[in-house]
């Protein structure tokens, strides 16, 4: 990595260390937090010094620089620096203590990342707690350190920093006539950064509202739940007013309600249920720690959040209504919108894809819960045949095996795996007769994963091309369709099961991507269970589409763009990040569009950058594309709301998003035209985006994508006050 890149990462780590206190990576909010820490000038200085030391030592020790740049190590040191800076008078001795505290905090954070990180748990502010307790107890013996009196002579300090105007501003804000509970809320919010004044809390609340409407609402819900609980049980409410440990309730509610858990009705309910537990832990531990003259700081928040997150990992199955965040976007709103979008688009993608075990279009003659043999524990199975336009399975009289269209056709491996069982040398039956003794006939059973096997039966005698123990790839020929076993006419019996034995109980499991054929149209099916009478096939790859959307790292595109009559140029390049996520980046604007391509479908998953960039319109126009051409096939999908709508409308949606979505943005793509079915040289896709509010359309975009032998050639966009045409020139 270049030295200039290291400097950029180091500088990026400083504001991110501030933002991480509230689980944020937003620069504006980080700037607000940084400014607020300087309301106590020396606390702000020592907090910043602690962040710089921690990040610098992390770089020097060779820890991952991109991890450091996210601020995940620095924010704990920030809190240590602020805490010590508030408590002690500034001096060279304090600088030395800050140095030791920052290094200790870093070492604890890195170690905890290894210890509890393997359980996919955050270490939260535990490094801060351990470090500041060590520093606090140790410094009781340091007579050279002077205890700060700045809290006693606040006005003198303010006058020194900003003169009489700053003193008047401070007085005006702190003399605001607010309800007692709201005043305590604001000061508790400021206390997170060791700023025990009303102005700090008000500014932080505004920053929190700008950063995340969900976090802001959760902070109020968490605090007032605790406040009400104190009132109900008769606890000393002055404890909240005196120590301002109300920040434990604020941080717990944000963490559980919207950051580590997808915001939902259920997550909000758990906030209300857990806050009284935080209150009881706060009250009890305050008494224990008073023996050692130590504040409990954020210990209750850490205990409850970690206990809850750890307990969730022992659920028998994950719940959609209370789901952990798997891909962290550092924003409750982004987590929520991405989750809802991915839930629809990729809800089955944790399952291993299983394709149809044949080429071409076959018909299901008996499906699940079939009329003849697919019953009870064997009900999740399919029988496949080939039919003609008249829906007949055979030509001529149908008395001969060779009369049947499916007889002797290739049978393919439905997924990568290992051959577990092979039964061969069972003769094919004469049409109309069955072999009840060797019921399953010639069969191949393949292991694809733990507790995931496929069984293909009634194969043609002597046609099986694999043997037990063979490792095979998806789509390779394993045999031919026959008429062995309990089979009165040629067909392929296909079932999915959890054990490797012939005649095992069947398992309900979907077929991944496949095409459902109608008389004059087609439907794309994704991870669904096809039914009786369905005529289905795997997606048959169209080479023009495949090549056009085969975005390999290093591939470049150059476009001539005409936007509302103004000409410009742009260049894109395909790349991957350190986590092997693929994306397209515009070299001029820096915009990035992330995508996944599994060989059948291309999905765009995320976009960052300006919403008037050509790459953004390409992201919208090809949000989902399957790579086979079927005339008039239509694909539908939904965009994440945060990638489509803007503030302030999106802000209103954010507030109620866990409970109700009144905004919607729908994607539709139609396979519009191809110049030749046999030897195509040009394809046109027509897509659209429809934005609606409370069911009423507020804006639509119409897109056309033209593809030829060289790949993507042209993109046109039409909408209100927008006309764009982009031609790919290389």
């Amino acid at each position: 990595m270049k030295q200039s890149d290291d400097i950029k990462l180091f500088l990026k780590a400083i504001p991110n260390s501030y933002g991480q206190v509230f689980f944020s990576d937003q620069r504006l909010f980080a700037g607000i937090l940084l400014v607020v820490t300087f309301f106590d000038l020396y606390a702000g200085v020592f907090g910043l010094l602690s962040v710089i030391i921690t990040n610098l030592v992390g770089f020097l020790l060779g820890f991952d620089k991109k991890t450091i740049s996210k601020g995940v190590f620095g924010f704990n040191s920030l809190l240590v620096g602020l805490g010590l800076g508030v408590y002690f008078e500034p001096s060279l001795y304090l600088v030395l203590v800050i140095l030791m505290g920052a290094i200790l905090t870093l070492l604890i954070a890195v170690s905890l990342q290894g210890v509890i990180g393997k359980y996919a748990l955050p270490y939260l502010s535990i490094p801060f707690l351990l470090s500041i307790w060590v520093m606090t107890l140790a410094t009781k013996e340091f007579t050279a350190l002077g205890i700060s009196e700045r809290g006693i002579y606040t006005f003198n300090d303010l006058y020194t920093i900003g003169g009489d105007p700053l003193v008047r501003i401070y007085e005006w804000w702190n003399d605001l006539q607010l309800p007692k509970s709201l005043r305590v809320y604001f000061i508790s919010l400021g206390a997170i950064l060791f700023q025990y004044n009303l102005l700090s809390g008000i500014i932080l609340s505004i920053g929190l509202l700008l950063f995340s409407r969900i976090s802001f609402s959760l902070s109020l819900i968490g605090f007032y739940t605790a406040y009400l609980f104190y009132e109900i049980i008769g606890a000393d409410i002055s404890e909240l007013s005196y120590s301002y440990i109300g920040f434990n309730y604020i941080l717990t509610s944000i963490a559980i309600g919207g950051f580590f858990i997808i915001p939902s009705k259920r997550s909000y309910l758990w906030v209300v249920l857990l806050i009284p537990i935080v209150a009881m832990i706060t009250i009890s531990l305050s008494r224990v720690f008073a023996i050692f003259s130590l504040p409990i700081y954020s210990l209750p928040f850490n205990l409850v959040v970690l206990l809850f997150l750890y307990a969730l990992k022992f659920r028998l199955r994950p719940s959609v209504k209370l789901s952990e965040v798997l891909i962290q976007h550092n924003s409750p709103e982004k987590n929520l919108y991405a989750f809802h979008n991915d839930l629809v688009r990729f809800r089955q993608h944790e399952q291993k894809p299983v394709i149809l075990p044949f080429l071409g279009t076959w018909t299901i003659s008996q499906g699940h819960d079939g009329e003849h043999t697919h019953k009870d524990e064997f009900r999740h199975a399919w029988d496949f045949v080939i039919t003609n336009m008249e829906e007949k399975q055979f030509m001529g009289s149908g008395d001969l095996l060779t009369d049947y269209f499916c007889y002797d056709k290739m049978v393919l491996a439905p997924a990568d795996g290992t051959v577990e069982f092979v039964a061969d040398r069972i003769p094919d039956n004469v049409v109309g007769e069955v072999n009840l003794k060797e019921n399953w006939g010639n069969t191949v059973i393949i292991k694809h994963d733990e507790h995931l096997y496929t069984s293909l039966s009634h194969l043609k005698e002597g046609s099986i091309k694999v043997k037990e123990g063979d490792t095979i790839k998806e789509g390779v020929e394993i045999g031919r369709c026959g008429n062995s076993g309990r089979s009165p006419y040629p067909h392929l019996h296909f079932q999915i099961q959890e054990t490797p034995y012939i005649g095992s109980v069947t398992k309900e499991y979907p077929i991944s991507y496949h095409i459902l054929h109608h008389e004059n149209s087609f439907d794309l099916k994704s991870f669904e269970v096809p039914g009786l009478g369905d005529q289905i096939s795997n997606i048959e790859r169209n080479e023009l589409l495949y090549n056009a959307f085969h975005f390999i790292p290093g591939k470049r595109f150059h476009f001539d763009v005409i936007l509302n009559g103004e000409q410009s140029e742009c260049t894109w390049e395909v790349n991957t990040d350190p986590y092997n996520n693929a994306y397209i980046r515009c070299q001029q604007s820096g915009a990035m569009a992330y995508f996944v391509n599994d060989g059948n479908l291309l999905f765009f998953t995320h976009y960052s950058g300006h919403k008037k960039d050509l790459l953004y319109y390409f992201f919208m126009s090809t949000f989902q594309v399957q790579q086979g051409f079927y005339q008039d096939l239509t694909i539908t999908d939904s965009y994440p709301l945060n990638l489509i709508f803007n503030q302030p409308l999106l802000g209103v949606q954010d507030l109620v998003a866990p409970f109700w979505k009144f905004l919607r943005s729908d994607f539709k793509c139609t396979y519009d035209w191809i110049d030749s079915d046999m030897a195509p040289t040009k394809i046109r896709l027509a897509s659209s985006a429809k934005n609606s509010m409370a069911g009423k359309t507020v804006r639509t975009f119409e897109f056309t994508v033209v593809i030829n032998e060289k790949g993507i050639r042209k993109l046109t966009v039409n909408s209100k006050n927008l006309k764009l045409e982009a031609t790919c020139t290389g």
Side-chain angles (χ1 to χ4, degrees):
M1 185 177 288
K2 297 179 181 178
Q3 187 175 7
S4 60
D5 292 333
D6 286 349
I7 294 173
K8 289 179 181 178
L9 289 175
F10 182 80
L11 294 176
K12 185 179 179 182
I14 294 174
N16 283 343
S17 296
Y18 285 79
Q20 283 293 336
V21 174
F22 283 91
F23 315 108
S24 167
D25 61 358
Q26 191 184 83
R27 291 293 181 87
L28 174 61
F29 189 34
I32 292 173
L33 295 172
L34 190 151
V35 169
V36 168
T37 62
F38 277 84
F39 281 13
D40 183 314
L41 179 61
Y42 295 115
V45 168
F46 287 116
L48 180 59
L49 176 63
S50 187
V51 168
I52 292 172
I53 291 171
T54 290
N55 292 331
L56 182 60
V57 172
F59 268 63
L60 294 175
L61 288 177
F63 298 139
D64 183 63
K65 295 172 183 176
K66 291 192 175 180
T67 300
I68 296 172
S69 72
K70 295 177 182 178
V72 295
F73 296 145
F75 82 92
N76 273 287
S77 291
L78 167 65
L79 296 175
V80 172
L82 291 172
L84 295 175
V86 165
Y87 189 71
F88 293 107
E89 283 292 333
S91 66
L92 290 177
Y93 299 109
L94 181 56
V95 172
L96 180 62
V97 171
I98 293 290
L99 174 65
M100 297 299 104
I103 295 174
L104 175 62
T105 306
L106 172 65
L107 297 178
I108 295 172
V110 173
S111 300
L112 284 177
Q113 188 179 49
V115 174
I116 67 175
K118 62 185 178 182
Y119 300 106
L121 291 172
Y123 50 74
L124 301 176
S125 56
I126 293 177
F128 151 69
L129 291 172
L130 296 178
S131 183
I132 199 164
W133 285 335
V134 168
M135 294 295 116
T136 300
L137 291 173
T139 52
K140 290 182 183 295
E141 306 297 325
F142 295 179
T143 56
L145 287 175
I147 304 299
S148 172
E149 297 180 348
R150 293 197 304 281
I152 301 173
Y153 305 107
T154 301
F155 291 114
N156 291 344
D157 296 332
L158 290 172
Y159 188 84
T160 301
I161 297 170
D164 188 61
L166 184 58
V167 172
R168 292 184 180 278
I169 292 172
Y170 182 87
E171 281 187 304
W172 187 88
W173 280 103
N174 279 282
D175 289 341
L176 280 177
Q177 297 302 309
L178 296 175
K180 178 183 177 182
S181 62
L182 190 58
R183 176 177 287 272
V184 175
Y185 164 77
F186 284 131
I187 299 180
S188 295
L189 199 57
I192 295 174
L193 297 178
F194 293 89
Q195 303 297 319
Y196 304 101
N197 58 79
L198 189 62
L199 179 58
S200 295
I202 291 174
I203 292 176
L204 284 180
S205 67
I206 294 172
L208 188 60
L209 179 62
L210 292 174
F211 157 60
S212 167
R213 275 59 59 196
I214 290 177
S215 291
F216 176 75
S217 63
L218 283 167
S219 72
L220 289 170
I221 291 171
F223 177 82
Y224 276 99
T225 298
Y227 203 90
L228 181 62
F229 179 73
Y230 272 70
E231 291 278 12
I232 291 173
I233 64 174
D236 186 6
I237 203 71
S238 64
E239 181 182 343
L240 274 176
S241 304
Y242 175 71
S243 61
Y244 303 115
I245 51 178
F247 62 76
N248 276 288
Y249 312 118
I250 293 172
L251 291 176
T252 300
S253 60
I254 294 173
I256 296 297
F259 188 77
F260 295 110
I261 304 295
I262 298 296
S264 65
K265 297 175 184 176
R266 196 70 61 87
S267 74
Y268 275 58
L269 175 61
W270 273 105
V271 165
V272 174
L273 293 175
L274 290 173
I275 289 301
I277 297 176
V278 178
M280 289 188 286
I281 291 175
T282 300
I283 294 169
S284 59
L285 289 183
S286 294
R287 291 180 175 272
V288 174
F289 275 67
I291 299 172
F292 305 98
S293 300
L294 286 176
I296 61 170
Y297 294 119
S298 58
L299 180 59
F301 150 69
N302 281 270
L303 286 176
V304 172
V305 171
L306 286 174
L307 285 172
F308 186 71
L309 294 179
Y310 186 60
L312 289 182
K313 298 186 182 301
F314 291 91
R315 292 183 292 180
L316 294 179
R317 61 180 61 185
S319 169
V320 173
K321 294 182 179 179
L322 189 70
S323 180
E324 297 170 78
V325 174
L326 299 179
I327 301 176
Q328 187 55 256
H329 296 279
N330 289 97
S331 161
E333 287 81 4
K334 291 179 181 178
N335 288 340
L336 174 61
Y337 297 140
F339 173 76
H340 282 176
N341 193 254
D342 293 349
L343 183 66
V344 174
R345 306 181 84 200
F346 308 117
R347 64 186 183 279
Q348 301 284 1
H349 282 212
E350 69 275 6
Q351 296 179 305
K352 188 176 183 68
V354 171
I355 67 170
L356 295 168
F358 44 72
L359 297 174
T361 304
W362 292 50
T363 301
I364 298 176
S365 60
Q366 186 180 194
H368 289 198
D369 296 300
E371 180 182 355
H372 305 293
T373 56
H374 300 173
K375 298 181 181 297
D376 301 324
E377 65 265 33
F378 303 109
R379 67 185 182 276
H380 301 304
W382 299 275
D383 287 341
F384 292 104
V385 298
I386 297 177
T387 58
N388 61 13
M389 298 293 290
E390 289 78 34
E391 299 185 359
K392 293 181 64 176
Q393 302 179 31
F394 53 84
M395 58 185 176
S397 63
D399 293 332
L400 302 176
L401 294 177
T402 53
D403 288 345
Y404 286 78
F405 302 122
C406 68
Y407 184 73
D408 202 32
K409 294 296 188 294
M410 284 195 299
V411 176
L412 312 177
D416 295 350
T418 303
V419 178
E420 288 285 320
F421 174 84
V422 173
D424 203 355
R425 304 303 175 188
I426 300 172
D428 286 322
N429 303 316
V430 174
V431 174
E433 296 184 6
V434 294
N435 180 350
L436 297 179
K437 181 179 179 181
E438 297 162 307
N439 186 57
W440 299 94
N442 300 311
T443 297
V444 173
I445 297 176
I446 307 169
K447 179 180 180 180
H448 306 290
D449 209 341
E450 292 300 320
H451 308 296
L452 181 63
Y453 299 81
T454 54
S455 178
L456 303 106
S457 300
H458 309 311
L459 302 180
K460 180 183 177 183
E461 180 186 10
S463 72
I464 295 177
K465 299 182 179 298
V466 295
K467 61 182 183 299
E468 293 178 7
D470 283 356
T471 299
I472 57 177
K473 291 290 186 180
E474 173 189 291
V476 303
E477 181 182 350
I478 61 169
R480 298 274 173 152
C481 181
N483 196 41
S484 57
R486 187 179 177 181
S487 176
Y489 57 86
H491 72 281
L492 172 64
H493 176 90
F494 179 49
Q495 68 181 49
I496 300 171
Q497 55 196 50
E498 293 188 348
T499 54
Y501 311 112
I502 193 166
S504 292
V505 171
T506 57
K507 173 185 177 72
E508 185 174 19
Y509 201 89
I511 303 297
S512 58
Y513 301 115
H514 56 282
I515 301 295
L516 176 60
H517 297 247
H518 303 288
E519 185 175 353
N520 296 309
S521 62
F522 307 91
D523 288 330
L524 172 66
K525 298 295 182 180
S526 301
F527 291 87
E528 296 185 25
V529 176
L532 176 66
D534 285 353
Q535 292 186 322
I536 55 178
S537 70
N538 290 310
I539 295 175
E540 296 180 13
R541 178 191 294 175
N542 178 286
E543 290 303 318
L544 287 185
L545 287 169
Y546 176 79
N547 292 331
F549 292 100
H550 187 49
F551 299 143
I552 58 175
K555 188 172 184 177
R556 293 165 68 92
F557 304 85
H558 183 82
F559 288 92
D560 291 334
V561 184
I562 302 175
L563 174 60
N564 292 336
E566 295 185 8
Q567 296 185 352
S568 62
E569 297 180 6
C570 68
T571 302
W572 301 344
E573 184 172 0
V574 182
N575 215 326
T576 57
D577 66 15
Y579 304 101
N580 208 32
N581 297 310
Y583 63 91
I584 304 172
R585 183 179 184 275
C586 177
Q587 293 186 348
Q588 284 72 28
S589 67
M592 294 188 292
Y594 286 82
F595 66 89
V596 174
N597 190 338
D598 64 5
N600 288 309
L601 272 78
L602 177 135
F603 294 93
F604 276 104
T605 57
H606 183 64
Y607 174 84
S608 63
H610 202 283
K611 292 182 181 178
K612 292 185 179 180
D613 198 276
L614 175 64
L615 184 57
Y616 178 68
Y617 294 123
F618 182 70
F619 162 85
M620 292 181 69
S621 65
T622 56
F623 192 56
Q624 182 185 154
V625 178
Q626 66 87 18
Q627 296 173 27
F629 188 91
Y630 296 89
Q631 185 65 51
D632 296 326
L633 171 71
T634 297
I635 296 175
T636 58
D637 208 333
S638 296
Y639 300 101
L641 297 181
N642 60 298
L643 298 181
I644 301 298
F645 293 95
N646 297 313
Q647 302 293 351
L649 183 60
L650 182 61
V652 178
Q653 175 64 89
D654 291 344
L655 280 172
V656 298
F659 311 98
W660 175 50
K661 291 184 181 61
F662 61 85
L663 297 179
R664 185 177 177 88
S665 184
D666 295 311
F667 166 80
K668 183 170 74 172
C669 178
T670 301
Y671 287 69
D672 185 46
W673 176 80
I674 188 169
D675 62 350
S676 170
D677 290 328
M678 300 300 295
T681 60
K682 186 177 288 187
I683 288 173
R684 183 174 64 231
L685 305 180
S687 59
S688 65
K690 184 176 74 172
N691 300 341
S692 57
M693 181 173 64
K696 295 184 178 180
T697 301
V698 294
R699 188 172 186 182
T700 59
F701 294 83
E702 300 292 339
F703 309 100
T704 300
V705 180
V706 177
I707 296 161
N708 65 14
E709 293 166 309
K710 294 183 178 180
I712 297 166
R713 288 297 93 189
K714 183 176 288 188
L715 168 65
T716 62
V717 185
N718 285 285
S719 185
K720 183 180 180 181
N721 301 322
L722 171 66
K723 186 173 183 179
L724 181 149
E725 182 176 299
T727 303
C728 186
T729 58

